[in-house]
Amino acid sequence: MSDVMVIGIAGGTGSGKTTITKKLIQHFGDDVSVIHHDNYYKAHHDMPYEERARLNYDHPDSFDTEMLIDALKELKRGHSVVCPVYDYSIHDRSDKTTVVEPAKVVIVEGILIFQSRELCRQMDIKIYVDTDADVRILRRIMRDVRDRGRSLESVVNQYLSTVKPMHEQFVEPSKRNADIIIPEGGHNLVAMEMVMERVRAHLEHC
C-alpha cells in the first residue's frame, strides 16, 4: 500500500494520547489503524511474578521496539500484522495476539516512541501530548486501579520509583523530536482540528 501516513503520538503516562487516538478513529473510521508500543513489552515468562512486578517498565529497554518497527514496515507495505498482547495484571506478555490491518493512516502510540531514532524515521507526523504531572498521575491511578486490577499503593510506589524518574530522563527530553506539541491533548480543540485537517488532506490525495 503506497502513501501510508504514519502518525506518532507520544507523551507521559496519562497525558491524553488515547483520547487523541480515539478521536481520530471516531472521525476517520476504517482509514485509521493503531499500533501500541505497550503491546511490545518484552516477555518475561521465565521470571516469577514478584520479580516481574519489580521490573522498570518505563525504561526504553523494557520494550521490543525492533519488533514494533518491523510490524510498522509491514503495515506500510500493505500487509496485516499479528501483534502481541500485554497483560498488566500479571506483568507479562499474554498468550493472546491481535491483528492490526493496514490502513491509509497508521497511528503509533506510546510514551517512549520518540526515544528511538529508527522508529521516528518511520513517522510522517510526530505529536507530543504535554499535560501537567499532577493531572497525569491522577489519571494513571484511576486507570490502573479501575482497568488493570492494581492496588492504589502499588501504583503510587511504581510512579515514585520508576515512572516519574524515567519520565524526566527519557520521555520529557524526547519531545524535542516532535513536530507538534499539544498541551492538554484531545481537549485542545484548535490543535485537534489542525491534526484532523492534515489527515483529511492526506486521505483526499490517496
Side-chain angles (χ1 to χ4, degrees), residues 8-203:
I9 302 179
T13 180
S15 59
K17 300 182 296 299
T18 306
T19 304
I20 291 181
T21 303
K22 281 181 178 167
K23 286 193 173 185
L24 289 169
I25 291 168
Q26 282 165 3
H27 204 84
F28 298 107
D30 292 341
D31 285 327
V32 178
S33 277
V34 185
I35 192 161
H36 300 279
H37 202 195
D38 277 11
N39 278 343
Y40 289 86
Y41 274 121
K42 290 173 179 169
H44 294 288
H45 303 324
D46 54 339
M47 205 180 271
Y49 174 82
E50 288 73 19
E51 229 175 289
R52 293 199 304 267
R54 287 196 298 270
L55 288 173
N56 179 356
Y57 290 96
D58 292 83
H59 191 282
D61 291 348
S62 62
F63 294 93
D64 191 343
T65 300
E66 288 300 313
M67 190 180 178
L68 171 64
I69 292 167
D70 289 343
L72 189 53
K73 286 177 178 174
E74 284 299 301
L75 287 169
K76 287 169 85 170
R77 291 186 193 110
H79 304 147
S80 59
V81 294
V82 178
C83 296
V85 173
Y86 190 77
D87 186 340
Y88 296 92
S89 64
I90 60 168
H91 299 290
D92 205 357
R93 199 176 279 183
S94 75
D95 52 6
K96 299 189 179 93
T97 56
T98 181
V99 175
V100 177
E101 299 293 346
K104 292 171 184 170
V105 177
V106 176
I107 295 173
V108 185
E109 185 259 0
I111 61 170
L112 285 164
I113 56 172
F114 296 165
Q115 226 274 321
S116 161
R117 201 168 282 145
E118 174 59 26
L119 186 49
C120 281
R121 274 199 283 265
Q122 301 295 323
M123 301 172 191
D124 301 294
I125 306 176
K126 297 181 289 295
I127 299 168
Y128 184 92
V129 188
D130 211 3
T131 303
D132 285 346
D134 52 354
V135 175
R136 291 190 293 101
I137 176 58
L138 288 171
R139 284 180 183 164
R140 182 174 177 121
I141 287 169
M142 288 170 67
R143 180 196 68 194
D144 283 7
V145 171
R146 184 188 59 215
D147 301 338
R148 296 179 177 175
R150 305 275 303 283
S151 71
L152 176 61
E153 188 182 9
S154 77
V155 178
V156 173
N157 285 344
Q158 186 184 28
Y159 181 81
L160 294 174
S161 63
T162 60
V163 177
K164 187 173 184 287
M166 292 299 103
H167 178 86
E168 288 162 1
Q169 188 177 345
F170 295 110
V171 182
E172 186 75 23
S174 80
K175 78 176 173 189
R176 287 195 295 262
N177 297 324
D179 303 307
I180 305 166
I181 295 173
I182 301 183
E184 306 306 326
H187 303 294
N188 187 326
L189 300 180
V190 174
M192 276 307 304
E193 188 49 47
M194 286 170 67
V195 172
M196 293 218 184
E197 193 48 52
R198 180 73 195 272
V199 174
R200 211 174 283 126
H202 168 74
L203 292 174

